[in-house]
Amino acid sequence: MEEKAKLVLIPNYYGHINKVIDEANRLTLPVRVRRTISDRNRYNLMNDAFQITRSESGIYQLTFQGFPFADIQTEKSVTKKDIDISSIDDVVFVAEGIIRNTIPPQPDFISPNPDTVFIYSATDAQTMIYDPHWAQYGFSSRFQKVNIESQGRITLKKLFEESEYLINVITDKDRNTRVTGQPTLFCVTLSKPPS
């Protein structure tokens, strides 16, 4: 008897929650967002676009469509199921832009007047950088890699220093921002909460 294929739900964060960006430009990501980032990394890793290869110098690497993404600290051959990817769960890729009002909505990272901050898991960011469909939106020239601290915070200081008005565009007078799940864009976004 032939075994049936297993169905796996794509992990996505839906909904929104307001959070404060403090004076040091730090934002504590909601627990469900951090969990989704981890789930997305595990889900995406099983995609055939991610492969384990060995470089000419003998180092095992995780690649996305042939582009090296992360070194694997081992001397022996491994499979994707053997590697500990928790270190990439502590990294997100962020960029400012706008969401184009199309069906489905599309990001635009080249807009001169950004009003949204996009936050991608490490594996989703590789898709945004290297996949030809998503690369056309300009993420690859705009992103910054940001570490998630042990308290679940990210620091957006560099992003705000490079675009001074952005903090005013995505926060209200109390520095609240709205963290929103964007399943069609494979990310969460930061935007000004409604008044």
Side-chain angles (χ1 to χ4, degrees), residues 107-120:
D108 179 352
F109 301 101
I110 304 172
S111 172
N113 300 307
D115 61 5
T116 305
V117 170
F118 296 80
I119 302 175
Y120 286 91

Side-chain angles (χ1 to χ4, degrees), residues 95-99 113-118 166 169-170 189-191:
E96 75 269 15
I98 64 171
I99 299 175
N113 300 307
D115 61 5
T116 305
V117 170
F118 296 80
L166 193 57
V169 175
I170 68 162
T189 58
L190 306 180
S191 58

Side-chain angles (χ1 to χ4, degrees), residues 155-191:
T155 301
L156 300 168
K157 185 174 180 182
K158 185 178 177 190
L159 189 68
F160 292 142
E161 283 175 350
E162 292 181 1
S163 183
E164 285 182 23
Y165 87 103
L166 193 57
I167 187 74
N168 297 321
V169 175
I170 68 162
T171 64
D172 64 16
K173 62 180 174 54
D174 298 317
R175 293 179 67 95
N176 287 305
T177 191
R178 175 163 280 197
V179 183
T180 305
Q182 302 284 354
T184 59
L185 302 177
F186 309 108
C187 68
V188 296
T189 58
L190 306 180
S191 58

